Amino acid sequence: MKTNTRGTLAALITCVAAATASAAPAEAAEHAPVAIPLNGLEWALETQAPELSTGVPVPMPGKPDRPEVGEGRLLPGRALPQVPIGTALPATRVTAPLSDVLGDAGLEQLDVTAPESDVDTSTPGASLDAPLTGPQPDHFGLPGTKLPQAALHAPLLRTQPGAVVGLS
């Protein structure tokens, strides 16, 4: 191998190694920031528009529930498992001017701030059981009959949102 080729290859390997070492692993964002343009309100209402800053939550699915195997059942419970989903509601802030609305009342703006809050939820699930029992020794090893069973599992939603309202 020529000296030029070796030097070029060494420089290329050095650049790739430096780029790979400095690269951080990719992480999922908790929420995506959103800019909401309200400038059209100023023209339409002939007043100063409020300012709004928020984000869009990015849901992250979790591990589904495992099927439940019970005694006396031919089919496992939770045939359609519930899938937990977690996210965080992003912090939201609204600042609305009041000088045009209230005149000279001494209040200039309304501030509404909602801090970030966690949201835990899960999808609905279902269970189903066959109209047969397991093998019965008193029936010569043949299965017996029973009423079929079906159940729906309700979805779950858990959060504690809050807000702070202030006048200035």
Side-chain angles (χ1 to χ4, degrees), residues 9-132:
L9 188 58
L12 180 64
I13 290 173
T14 304
C15 290
V16 169
T20 306
S22 65
E27 291 185 18
E30 290 185 14
H31 52 83
V34 175
I36 301 174
L38 299 175
N39 299 339
L41 291 176
E42 292 180 1
W43 177 78
L45 300 176
E46 296 181 5
T47 185
Q48 192 175 2
E51 295 177 13
L52 176 62
S53 63
T54 187
V56 175
V58 178
M60 299 298 290
K63 186 172 123 180
D65 293 341
R66 300 180 82 190
E68 299 170 354
V69 180
E71 188 174 326
R73 296 179 60 101
L74 290 180
L75 299 173
R78 299 199 183 259
L80 179 63
Q82 291 183 292
V83 178
I85 300 171
T87 188
L89 292 176
T92 302
R93 182 164 190 231
V94 178
T95 304
L98 296 176
S99 59
D100 293 340
V101 178
L102 298 178
D104 294 331
L107 299 173
E108 294 191 15
Q109 70 180 10
L110 169 73
D111 291 324
V112 179
T113 304
E116 185 173 302
S117 62
D118 291 333
V119 176
D120 295 320
T121 184
S122 68
T123 62
S127 293
L128 181 67
D129 197 13
L132 298 174

Side-chain angles (χ1 to χ4, degrees), residues 129-155:
D129 197 13
L132 298 174
T133 64
Q136 307 249 334
D138 55 338
H139 289 255
F140 304 107
L142 296 173
T145 59
K146 66 176 186 175
L147 291 174
Q149 296 175 349
L152 295 175
H153 304 286

